[in-house]
Every structure is written in C-alpha cells, then in structure tokens.
Amino acid sequence: MSTTYDLAIRADAVLIDGAWRPAVVAVRDGVIAALAEHDEEVPAHAVVTLPEGQVLVPGVVDTHVHVNEPGRTEWEGFTTATRAAAAGGVTTIVDMPLNSIPPTTTLEGLEAKRAAAGPQASVDVGFWGGAVPSNLGALEPLWNAGVFGFKAFLSPSGVDEFPHLSGAELRAALEEIAGFGGLLLVHAEDPDVLDRSAPAADIDTADHADARDYLAFVSTRPDLAEEDAIAHVIAGVRATGARAHILHLSSARALDQIRAAKAEGLPLTVETCPHYLSFSAEHIPAGATQFKCCPPIRDEGNRDLLWEALVDGTIDLIASDHSPSTAELKFAGDGSFQEAWGGISGLQVSFPAVWTAAHERGIGLERVLGWMSEATARLVGLDDRGGIAVGRVADLVAFAPDESFVVQADALEHRNTVSAYDQRTLHGVVHTTWLAGEVVHQLGAGARAGSGAGTAAAPAGRLLERLGSGSSV
C-alpha cells in the first residue's frame, strides 16, 4: 500500500463478516479505509499490533441506556455514563427519554439532552423520544428532529413526569407512528395484572418479612403481566402495520406468541438484557435490592429458554438497560424490594457479563457481537457501525476473551458504586477502545480490569441523529 493512513491495527484475530481472520485494519479520518492481510506492510502515522490473546472487535452499540441528565444527574450523568461505556467496549449509546427532567417528550426536552451531552460525551450518543399521553399527535416533530424512535410504558414508569399509555393510547401511538414510518419501543407489563398481584394495601412492606424476599417480589411482577402486555402490542402492530420493539424481555412464557408474530411477518423485534442472562431468582439473597429490576430476573429454567431464543433468532438483540440511581434510593427500605428503586446498573460490565454467560454455554464471541453490536446498530438504522468493514466508522475494541477479572463496584466509572455484578468474576477484558480511530479508553499498566483506569479525559463523542433526519452527526 502506498497510501499513508492515520492508524493501522494488526491483530491475529479480527472479526470480519462474522468470522475471525488475521488482518490489518487501516483507518483514515475516523473511518475504516482498508482491510489488509496480516503480514502486509501498511504505512500509517500510528501502527498498533495487538499482543497474543487480544482480538479486534467492533465497538458495542448499546441501545438501552438511562443517563438521567439533566435533572437527576446525581443518579448518572453523561460524563460518568460515557466513560463507563468506553471502559466497557461500548462506543455508541442511545439514551432513554425518562428519568431526566425534562423527559425527552418535546423538542425542548431533546435540546436540553443534547446541550447536556455535547460537552461531556466520551462515546457517540443518540436519543430516544418518549410517547406519553400528553404528546400523542405531536410525535412527528421529534422524529424529524432525529430521535431514533419512541419509548412508551404500558404500566407506571416510576416517575410522575413520564406517565404510561392506556390500551387505547397505545393503539393511537402505533397508528401515529405508522403514519411516518417510526418505531415504538414498549415496556410491556400489563397494569391490571400488576394491580392484582400487588401486596395488600394494609401491609407495611418495610416491616413485612416478604418485603425482603426476592421470590415474593417476583410474584408481584408475574409472567402474565408480560404475556398480556406483549399480546396487546402484537395486536396493535397487526392492526396498524407500525414497527414495534419489545424492551427487556424477562419472561420466556411470552416467546411462543413472539415466534408466532414473527412467523406472521409482523414488524416486531425483541431484546433481552445481560442481567436476565446472567442471574437467576433462586440465587438472589434476601434484601439484595441491587438485583431489583422490572420486569424481574426470573428462574434458571427461564434464563435457559431466553438463551435458546437468542440462538434461534426469536430474540433479536441484547442491550444493557443501564438504569442506575443513588445508593440511598437503591437500598431504600432496608432491603425492601417493594421500596427500593428498580434498575440494574451494568453499562461498563455488560459486554463481559454476556460473554461470560455465553462462553459457559459454548456460544462464540462472534454471536455475542452479533447481538450487542450488529443487531443493535440495525435496530436504530446506524449502518455506519456495528461491524468491521471498509466505509464504517472505526469504532474498535481490543478485547482479551480469555482474561478474567473480579468486578469491584467502587472502581467502576458509574457515578454510584452500586452493582449487581459486584464481586462477580467475569471473563473478557477490554484493553483499548477506539472511537472513530481515537483512543477513548486504555487499560493502563498495572491497572485492574474493570476499573476504567486510563480512560481518555478529553470527550470525543458525537451526538447522533437518525439517518435520514438530516445528518447522522
């Protein structure tokens, strides 16, 4: 090659077109400009050769992240969230519209998000809009402004400023979104089922023994809540033709109707999350509210069925659903699962966590990247990333799949030192993360894996808009 590139990365194993091969990846102006043979001389201003044991993979695209800024930055903000992302091999996040104040349900709310994220982002950041009762009929301006779709709850969200949609409002949202070719993301739990399963109103849950029992908590968020809500979504998709995406599928009992809907050709996609694939209800201790999320983590058999559904394609992708809060909220009620805030903080460790569980099942790393990078990029229409190919952005990760580390919650980049993964041994260490060919994380000499040590101080991330809304950046 006679052309000089900005960067050339040589590795014994590079994930290209879903397969591993020795190669050199050459980068110019933040984009992969060429793929060369491993022994080929590639002139570049910087040449990096990965040591034995490290492979080169595309950056993870995490389409389900709650950053919470502005308004609840004490829960998580763009500085800490995007540093955690970079340290975990995540190069793109798409921020959820709630838990921030204002929520991203108006153009003003979107501009507040962009103003907060722009100066701080260490990775690329896109935004979801929200569909709530008050903005139905006015979603298209947000779509035209570049959001990637709209999130809706079918049951209470936990924050007053983001109310859930009724059955009729769900149908209205789907009809509206179908009209401009948008995408609706759904937190699918049926409120009537939840109401019937809730603890009796006269029980003081803070003092009641069941409040600290995890299985008792799971009984308040039964499988039927997901099954019924997903059935409503499928019926709405069938009636309107709108695209819909089921968020954080927890219950394997909903898989048969999802398979049937896909066999029918309905435009439905589904995600699950690292915590549903890593943990099981039987092993969550009493009062361990760092494991609380909604819908909940279910039993081992359920977990195995979720893995099977990933492998057979019923579930399309994996996203973190990083949903942090302060320690005070997360441990409210002295271990009461009814009082504690629900949400798993796991952005930085989501990739190693999924790889750890996948490897135990004999599933290859290329499949994990298919679910966490390629499929997630496809969901949001970002065809400029999600894989290593000429013309795609040079979002790359040097990853050591056989190395392991013990998660130390207080060493993670997340703002609050609360993690369901604390003290868990995970396999797969992120050594270097490149964003558009620039280093945004480097595991320093002597630094502990999972610590974030060496993360670049200067924010390098870009704010993303949906392709077709004017610009991707």
Side-chain angles (χ1 to χ4, degrees), residues 255-256 258-259 262 304-316 363 367 371:
L255 290 171
D256 283 347
I258 291 168
R259 288 188 176 101
K262 289 190 165 192
D304 292 343
L305 291 171
L306 293 178
W307 274 107
E308 289 178 15
L310 277 163
V311 171
D312 72 22
T314 304
I315 297 175
D316 299 272
I363 297 170
R367 296 296 305 273
W371 295 318

Side-chain angles (χ1 to χ4, degrees), residues 405-466:
F405 66 100
V406 177
V407 178
Q408 307 281 352
D410 60 357
L412 297 174
E413 292 282 356
H414 305 152
R415 182 176 294 275
N416 290 282
T417 59
V418 177
S419 175
Y421 298 92
D422 190 34
Q423 302 306 310
R424 189 174 180 92
T425 298
L426 298 179
H427 297 285
V429 171
V430 173
H431 280 266
T432 309
T433 303
W434 290 269
L435 184 77
E438 300 292 332
V439 173
V440 290
H441 166 78
Q442 180 77 60
L443 191 64
R448 184 170 65 245
S451 68
T455 298
R462 301 170 297 175
L463 302 187
L464 303 177
E465 297 179 6
R466 178 181 46 78

Side-chain angles (χ1 to χ4, degrees), residues 1 33 138 165 241 303 330 394 407 410 447:
M1 290 186 177
L165 301 182
R303 182 182 63 190
K330 195 61 186 164
V407 178
D410 60 357

Side-chain angles (χ1 to χ4, degrees), residues 107-457:
L107 291 173
E108 293 75 17
L110 176 60
E111 287 309 308
K113 277 282 191 183
R114 286 176 170 159
Q120 302 182 67
S122 295
V123 301
D124 289 354
V125 180
F127 303 95
W128 295 112
V132 295
S134 62
N135 73 351
L136 295 184
L139 298 177
E140 191 167 6
L142 273 170
W143 178 252
N144 292 337
V147 301
F148 289 91
F150 302 88
K151 179 177 185 177
F153 278 75
L154 302 189
S155 57
S157 71
V159 292
D160 292 340
E161 66 275 2
F162 202 96
H164 67 285
L165 301 182
S166 67
E169 288 164 340
L170 168 66
R171 183 62 62 88
L174 287 166
E175 289 176 350
E176 181 180 356
I177 288 169
F180 55 78
L183 172 66
L184 183 69
L185 288 71
V186 186
H187 179 123
E189 288 183 288
D190 186 276
D192 294 334
V193 175
L194 296 181
D195 287 345
R196 294 196 301 269
S197 306
D202 60 351
I203 292 178
D204 183 349
T205 57
D207 298 327
H208 194 262
D210 277 356
R212 292 176 52 83
D213 181 76
Y214 185 73
L215 293 178
F217 165 66
V218 173
S219 72
T220 70
R221 320 283 302 204
D223 297 83
L224 184 62
E226 287 189 82
E227 291 178 84
D228 281 4
I230 290 170
H232 293 318
V233 175
I234 290 172
V237 169
R238 182 181 295 114
T240 65
R243 290 188 299 140
H245 179 71
I246 302 298
L247 296 166
H248 46 53
L249 181 71
S250 149
S251 174
R253 292 188 186 179
L255 290 171
D256 283 347
Q257 63 174 321
I258 291 168
R259 288 188 176 101
K262 289 190 165 192
E264 189 181 335
L266 297 181
L268 183 75
T269 52
V270 182
E271 73 182 44
T272 193
C273 303
H275 37 280
Y276 301 131
L277 301 169
S278 300
F279 305 119
S280 60
E282 300 94 322
H283 298 104
I284 295 177
T289 51
Q290 65 269 31
F291 291 93
K292 180 183 177 181
C293 56
C294 299
I297 296 163
R298 304 191 189 275
D299 60 67
E300 286 185 359
N302 183 90
R303 182 182 63 190
D304 292 343
L305 291 171
L306 293 178
W307 274 107
E308 289 178 15
L310 277 163
V311 171
D312 72 22
T314 304
I315 297 175
D316 299 272
L317 59 93
I318 303 170
S320 71
D321 190 10
H322 176 67
S323 185
S325 70
T326 62
E328 181 182 13
L329 285 171
K330 195 61 186 164
F331 296 121
D334 189 28
S336 167
F337 283 98
Q338 298 303 326
E339 292 190 39
W341 176 260
I344 302 290
S345 179
L347 175 59
Q348 185 171 335
V349 296
S350 61
F351 178 28
V354 174
W355 165 234
T356 299
H359 183 61
E360 291 173 355
R361 289 164 174 77
I363 297 170
L365 182 58
E366 66 278 1
R367 296 296 305 273
V368 171
L369 271 302
W371 295 318
M372 301 190 75
S373 189
E374 183 180 359
T376 45
R378 186 185 309 121
L379 175 73
V380 290
L382 289 175
D383 56 8
D384 62 347
R385 64 199 65 209
I388 297 176
V390 172
R392 292 193 175 185
V393 293
D395 293 350
L396 303 163
V397 177
F399 187 68
D402 296 329
E403 294 182 15
S404 62
F405 66 100
V406 177
V407 178
Q408 307 281 352
D410 60 357
L412 297 174
E413 292 282 356
H414 305 152
R415 182 176 294 275
N416 290 282
T417 59
V418 177
S419 175
Y421 298 92
D422 190 34
Q423 302 306 310
R424 189 174 180 92
T425 298
L426 298 179
H427 297 285
V429 171
V430 173
H431 280 266
T432 309
T433 303
W434 290 269
L435 184 77
E438 300 292 332
V439 173
V440 290
H441 166 78
Q442 180 77 60
L443 191 64
R448 184 170 65 245
S451 68
T455 298

Side-chain angles (χ1 to χ4, degrees), residues 12-26:
D12 292 334
V14 182
L15 184 61
I16 299 171
D17 294 329
W20 300 100
R21 54 173 270 202
V24 180
V25 177

